Amino acid sequence: MRRADRLFQLVQLIRGRRLTTAHFLAQRLEVSERTIYRDIADLQHQGVPIEGEAGVGYRLGVGFDLPPLMFTQEEAGALVASVRLAQAWLDPSMAADAEAALGKIFPVLPAATRAAAESLPIYAPAMVFDTGTQKSLQLLREAVQSRRKVHVDYRDVAGKKSRRVLWPLGCFYWGTVWTLAAWCESRQDFRAFRMDRIASLKTLDERFGHEAGRTLADFLRTVKTR
């Protein structure tokens, strides 16, 4: 990595955290802590308002920022790949948002970087999700973000129907199907639900909080121990 690139990454890492130690920076940038101390001193000398000291940690002073679109060719390519995946696998609303975001980024990229990103040989053929699954995905991810409970009519693998009130925790894509990880009020336990088996879905006004034992982190821990 060129030193100029390392200095830029150094500022980005400090900017993204409240307090950043030299040890953390050295590990991320694969250099010695002594190099970090020297780089920070040089940045401070150049007028970058990095506050803190060795042995304590560093943070960026209020009001300082860097141009937000200094992407490398590889980073721009990763964005293009992500948008192509989003268009194929997400609900239409989020896919459109991803494409719109990329449309704002492309015009300010250097011509060579933009051309290389657009010619990235990675493509994602559109998945044929039924409209019900697409609608469920959008409603459920919005419910996860707003922490609103949902009422679903569901049928299991045997075709048995049930009605449940769920705390939606996260949406997972498995290559062929989307599932919802949720806390089920009727079972008083975690459950995973295939979105293509949700017959009807309604977002409720009632919200749920970060209750110990019922969070996404708790769900993931139960999955790892099975």
Side-chain angles (χ1 to χ4, degrees):
M1 181 186 296
R2 296 181 308 164
R3 186 165 188 267
D5 293 333
R6 187 176 74 242
L7 292 177
F8 174 75
Q9 291 297 328
L10 182 61
V11 176
Q12 293 284 52
L13 288 169
I14 295 175
R15 181 175 67 170
R17 298 164 61 90
R18 290 185 178 180
L19 192 67
T20 309
T21 65
H23 178 70
F24 171 82
L25 295 168
Q27 286 189 319
R28 288 294 301 271
L29 297 174
E30 299 181 344
V31 296
S32 67
E33 291 184 32
R34 184 177 179 180
T35 297
I36 295 297
Y37 296 142
R38 184 173 61 248
D39 286 349
I40 287 177
D42 288 345
L43 287 167
Q44 290 172 328
H45 181 72
Q46 294 172 26
V48 179
I50 297 177
E51 304 169 350
E53 58 184 273
V56 178
Y58 301 96
R59 63 183 179 185
L60 202 59
V62 177
F64 180 81
D65 206 353
L66 289 173
L69 296 172
M70 296 177 65
F71 294 115
T72 65
Q73 181 173 312
E74 292 74 18
E75 290 169 341
L79 289 172
V80 170
S82 298
V83 170
R84 289 175 181 173
L85 292 173
Q87 290 174 316
W89 298 340
L90 295 176
D91 59 81
S93 177
M94 180 164 276
D97 289 340
E99 185 174 10
L102 192 61
K104 295 177 180 178
I105 294 171
F106 265 166
V108 297
L109 291 176
T113 300
R114 176 176 178 173
E118 289 182 314
S119 62
L120 184 73
I122 294 178
Y123 303 93
M127 302 297 293
V128 185
F129 291 123
D130 61 88
T131 56
T133 296
Q134 289 183 328
K135 183 178 180 180
S136 292
L137 174 59
Q138 180 173 343
L139 291 175
L140 288 171
R141 68 171 176 79
E142 291 172 349
V144 171
Q145 293 173 310
S146 63
R147 304 192 66 80
R148 291 183 181 275
K149 297 182 181 182
V150 297
H151 180 277
V152 301
D153 288 323
Y154 189 74
R155 56 178 177 81
D156 63 19
V157 65
K160 183 179 179 180
K161 298 179 180 179
S162 62
R163 291 186 173 182
R164 305 169 186 243
V165 174
L166 309 175
W167 300 14
L169 302 174
C171 302
F172 294 80
Y173 181 61
W174 301 95
T176 55
V177 297
W178 277 97
T179 63
L180 170 72
W183 175 265
C184 178
E185 289 192 350
S186 61
R187 299 293 188 271
Q188 285 296 293
D189 200 357
F190 293 113
R191 289 290 188 271
F193 301 88
R194 282 183 49 155
M195 293 188 191
D196 59 347
R197 293 180 182 160
I198 296 176
S200 66
L201 166 66
K202 180 181 180 181
T203 304
L204 305 178
D205 292 332
E206 186 178 359
R207 297 177 183 270
F208 59 95
H210 292 276
E211 186 173 328
R214 301 184 180 186
T215 67
L216 179 60
D218 295 317
F219 169 80
L220 294 174
R221 278 193 290 269
T222 64
V223 172
K224 290 180 180 179
T225 57
R226 290 176 181 174

